[in-house]
Amino acid sequence: VKPDAPPTVTARRSVSQIDRAIRVNTGHYDYRYLCTELRRKRMIPIIIDVRARSLDEFDDLVRHPGEEFTYVIRGRVKVMTEFYDPVVLGEGEFIYLDSSMGHVYLAAEGCDEATVLGICSSADDDLLDSLLGQHDETAISR
């Protein structure tokens, strides 16, 4: 590749509606994986409804490859991580973290449920399959 060669354009795009998302409903969260018709992405956008209220509801902290950015759309979340003190985020606030570090999101005190936009990224082309593989197949609806 020549140093002055124009960058390769993949021309990938995805336009969709929320009702076309892959839904995963668990005891802690309801996930809506977005833009799923575009395969082998390195960035996975997810709308997540957070209902978990306590770390005691989890067997262990969540870990997966890559990094993630989470933006609070509605409510307040308490972010618990393996190496840092908990932090509470309100609407319009966000966090960026290493997803291989143990972490969970909880509905913060005084909030029954919160909604966040999470964007997971990884150099792994199979990131979506890796994320979906963490769920019980019976919880997934396509």
Side-chain angles (χ1 to χ4, degrees):
V1 177
K2 295 181 190 177
D4 59 346
T8 302
V9 176
T10 63
R12 292 164 46 102
R13 78 172 215 176
S14 175
V15 177
S16 193
Q17 296 82 32
I18 196 72
D19 61 345
R20 296 188 56 205
I22 293 178
R23 298 181 72 87
V24 178
N25 299 317
T26 72
H28 309 107
Y29 310 120
D30 289 340
Y31 300 88
R32 286 164 289 183
Y33 289 86
L34 309 175
C35 304
T36 56
E37 73 284 355
L38 185 58
R39 303 304 294 178
R40 302 178 63 81
K41 299 187 298 293
R42 293 187 177 176
M43 180 178 71
I44 309 297
I46 314 163
I47 300 288
I48 307 164
D49 295 323
V50 178
R51 287 187 310 280
R53 304 289 313 249
S54 166
L55 192 54
D56 295 335
E57 297 177 45
F58 295 85
D59 293 332
D60 197 4
L61 297 172
V62 175
R63 292 174 178 80
H64 52 86
E67 300 174 326
E68 65 191 72
F69 171 84
T70 302
Y71 176 88
V72 181
I73 296 170
R74 182 182 56 81
R76 294 171 3 111
V77 295
K78 183 176 188 179
V79 184
M80 309 285 291
T81 60
E82 187 172 6
F83 301 113
Y84 296 92
D85 289 336
V87 62
V88 175
L89 303 174
E91 293 177 11
E93 296 182 315
F94 43 87
I95 189 167
Y96 187 103
L97 57 88
D98 172 356
S99 301
S100 64
M101 169 179 60
H103 61 284
V104 297
Y105 298 95
L106 305 173
E109 188 173 332
C111 180
D112 291 331
E113 183 176 283
T115 301
V116 302
L117 168 65
I119 301 173
C120 296
S121 71
S122 173
D124 179 2
D125 284 340
D126 296 321
L127 179 59
L128 178 60
D129 293 332
S130 174
L131 292 171
L132 289 174
Q134 295 186 48
H135 306 296
D136 180 341
E137 276 295 317
T138 61
I140 301 172
S141 59
R142 297 178 187 251

